[in-house]
Amino acid sequence: GAGVSQSPRYKVAKRGQDVALRCDPISGHVSLFWYQQALGQGPEFLTYFQNEAQLDKSGLPSDRFFAERPEGSVSTLKIQRTQQEDSAVYLCASSLVVDEQFFGPGTRLTVL
Amino acid sequence: KQEVTQIPAALSVPEGENLVLNCSFTDSAIYNLQWFRQDPGKGLTSLLLIQSSQREQTSGRLNASLDKSSGRSTLYIAASQPGDSATYLCAALNSGNTPLVFGKGTRLSVIA
């Protein structure tokens, strides 16, 4: 079956613009995670959903970051008033409730 | 708070050599540990997942071991090939509804 998909794959934004990143998890996967990966670093946790409920958002770096999963499937990560330090690869992963996490290809965000 | 460390940060070996990548974690109360491969500009591909009750997992030329008491995992790659060149990441999961905690990765180059 289809894996986790993310769009867009690449996004260039001018500083101050708002961006929206989309994640389509594997069908039937209850859990969805967002991670941020800076260049040369391992991914770091941003937020976690179980179905439509956002159970943990402790990793969001500022109130400019907002995530939603209104119907318990597709998720959107929104970044308002982007800054240069937001430049990174944003990875989405999904899993059954307690299981192996499967990752999408990521969205590479560059803020100029 | 779980912390994951990977040594070395980079490794270059000639084709055909057997090699070991190291991963250490500070909190031994893990649920499972995953090894991932990441090619440049790509997402994460899961290689092996070791449950906390297991000592090792094997897939083809890859073997991953887990020693919870010492807080260590190793990824053994036999008869390395140029196609194995990538960054290898390990990640610990502390419980079912928590995010993965990643190391910074080991960048492997296999020279033909």
Side-chain angles (χ1 to χ4, degrees), chain A residues 7-79:
Chain A
S7 61
R9 290 293 315 281
Y10 304 91
K11 177 68 179 178
V12 178
K14 292 183 179 178
R15 190 163 59 94
Q17 281 185 332
D18 298 348
V19 298
L21 313 180
R22 177 187 168 107
C23 172
D24 284 82
I26 294 172
S27 178
H29 277 194
V30 169
S31 299
L32 186 146
F33 297 84
W34 284 98
Y35 295 85
Q36 180 190 57
Q37 186 176 23
L39 189 64
Q41 303 294 313
E44 294 191 353
F45 169 72
L46 293 176
T47 187
Y48 160 63
F49 291 85
Q50 188 169 4
N51 295 307
E52 69 278 3
Q54 188 174 21
L55 298 186
D56 187 347
K57 54 182 181 179
S58 62
L60 295 177
S62 78
D63 59 7
R64 296 185 296 103
F65 286 71
F66 171 77
E68 60 183 4
R69 194 186 185 197
E71 298 179 358
S73 179
V74 172
S75 177
T76 303
L77 176 66
K78 298 179 180 179
I79 308 173

Side-chain angles (χ1 to χ4, degrees), chain A residues 9 33 35 37 40-43 45 48 50 91 97-98 100-101 103-105 108, chain B residues 31 34 36 38 41-44 46 49 89 93 96-100 102-104:
Chain A
R9 290 293 315 281
F33 297 84
Y35 295 85
Q37 186 176 23
Q41 303 294 313
F45 169 72
Y48 160 63
Q50 188 169 4
L91 295 165
V97 178
V98 176
E100 183 175 0
Q101 292 186 25
F103 282 76
R108 181 177 298 276
Chain B
Y31 186 83
Q34 271 184 270
F36 294 89
Q38 187 172 34
K42 305 290 187 182
L44 305 181
S46 181
L49 182 150
L89 294 153
L93 184 70
N97 292 334
T98 59
L100 289 168
F102 284 85
K104 292 185 177 182

Side-chain angles (χ1 to χ4, degrees), chain B residues 8-70:
Chain B
L11 180 65
S12 182
V13 300
E15 181 178 6
E17 193 163 295
N18 303 326
L19 59 101
V20 174
L21 307 181
N22 297 293
C23 171
S24 62
F25 46 94
T26 56
D27 184 351
S28 62
I30 62 171
Y31 186 83
N32 65 42
L33 188 135
Q34 271 184 270
W35 281 92
F36 294 89
R37 169 182 173 140
Q38 187 172 34
D39 293 284
K42 305 290 187 182
L44 305 181
T45 300
S46 181
L47 297 173
L48 290 165
L49 182 150
I50 312 176
Q51 300 291 355
S52 62
S53 58
Q54 297 174 321
R55 297 280 295 181
E56 64 179 335
Q57 281 285 342
T58 298
S59 176
R61 293 182 295 107
L62 306 180
N63 175 277
S65 68
L66 176 64
D67 184 343
K68 285 179 55 179
S69 61
S70 67

